[in-house]
């Protein structure tokens, strides 16, 4: 059985001559590499094709532990850019089919994600109207307080006026 991850790091707590100052340092000496299962994700950031995510399952037998220095020496030449890390949609689809997902499940998720993206796009474009909508709602709440029979304080009955005065509400927008 493998040792817990906390055994691969050490905490060095030392004190200087000043008892109020405490220097803490943490270091790692082992890298544990696990291979997790791939799942059909629901991430709407995918612009084309199905999104792939990582599941929670992994095989402890296939886990590799190597010391940090060895790992860093291999990784120094293997760094990739964001563009190189992007997986083409066809490859993502093949990965998901290999994991046991059907074409129907993949197509359904792609449609759902497209709808989510469309709703986000609509929300984004309506954001410019938010200040106006907030003013209208504030005015509505204010008007409720001056209409006879309505109370601003829940549970408290307001006095009824014999003849209510007419109220004119005008909404104007500055700029635009």
């Amino acid at each position: 059985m493998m040792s817990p991850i906390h055994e691969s790091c050490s905490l060095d707590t030392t004190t200087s001559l000043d008892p109020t100052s405490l220097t803490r340092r943490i270091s790692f000496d082992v890298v544990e590499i696990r291979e997790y299962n791939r799942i059909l994700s629901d991430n709407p950031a995918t612009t084309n094709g199905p999104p792939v995510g990582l599941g929670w399952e992994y095989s402890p037998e296939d886990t590799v532990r190597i010391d940090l220095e060895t790992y860093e020496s291999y990784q120094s030449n293997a760094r990739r850019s964001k563009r190189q890390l992007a997986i083409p949609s066809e490859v993502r689809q093949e990965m998901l089919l290999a994991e046991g997902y059907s074409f129907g499940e993949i197509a359904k998720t792609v449609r759902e994600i497209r709808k989510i993206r469309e709703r986000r796009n609509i929300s984004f474009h309506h954001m410019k109207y938010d200040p106006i909508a907030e003013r209208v709602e504030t005015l509505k709440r204010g008007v409720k307080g001056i209409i006879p029979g309505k109370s601003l304080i829940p549970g408290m009955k307001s006095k009824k006026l014999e003849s209510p005065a007419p109220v004119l509400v005008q909404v104007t927008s500055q700029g635009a």
Side-chain angles (χ1 to χ4, degrees):
M1 181 162 155
M2 290 190 321
S3 60
I5 194 83
H6 68 275
E7 290 180 14
S8 69
C9 65
S10 61
L11 178 63
D12 179 22
T13 306
T14 57
T15 57
S16 64
L17 295 176
D18 180 9
T20 59
S21 75
L22 182 65
T23 305
R24 292 185 180 196
R25 193 175 64 219
I26 190 165
S27 61
F28 299 90
D29 62 349
V30 176
V31 174
E32 188 172 281
I33 302 171
R34 298 176 178 175
E35 192 170 315
Y36 287 84
N37 64 317
R38 296 178 187 123
I39 61 168
L40 180 58
S41 176
D42 59 356
N43 185 349
T46 305
T47 56
N48 188 20
V52 174
L54 295 179
W56 289 101
E57 298 172 15
Y58 71 96
S59 173
E61 300 85 33
D62 295 333
T63 299
V64 177
R65 290 174 56 97
I66 58 175
D67 70 271
L68 182 62
E69 296 298 323
T70 304
Y71 175 79
E72 286 296 326
S73 69
Y74 286 120
Q75 287 299 83
S76 64
N77 297 329
R79 302 275 186 228
R80 294 180 284 173
S81 68
K82 282 185 180 181
R83 187 176 197 107
Q84 291 171 320
L85 291 173
I87 303 170
S89 62
E90 298 83 17
V91 175
R92 291 193 308 270
Q93 182 168 320
E94 290 300 321
M95 287 177 176
L96 293 168
L97 290 170
E99 289 288 333
Y101 291 96
S102 69
F103 282 109
E105 291 172 309
I106 294 171
K108 179 182 175 192
T109 301
V110 169
R111 283 190 303 271
E112 289 171 357
I113 287 175
R114 189 174 297 129
K115 287 178 187 175
I116 291 169
R117 264 199 321 270
E118 287 170 2
R119 285 193 298 258
R120 283 185 176 186
N121 195 21
I122 289 168
S123 287
F124 176 76
H125 289 298
H126 282 89
M127 281 175 36
K128 62 184 172 187
Y129 301 112
D130 283 351
I132 296 169
E134 283 181 33
R135 284 189 222 133
V136 169
E137 287 300 317
T138 302
L139 285 170
K140 282 182 184 178
R141 284 191 295 271
V143 169
K144 281 183 183 177
I146 58 175
I147 294 177
K150 300 284 183 182
S151 172
L152 292 176
I153 302 169
M156 180 180 200
K157 293 185 179 180
S158 61
K159 295 180 183 177
K160 294 198 176 196
L161 299 174
E162 297 301 321
S163 58
V167 178
L168 173 65
V169 177
Q170 183 177 0
V171 178
T172 60
S173 176
Q174 297 176 0

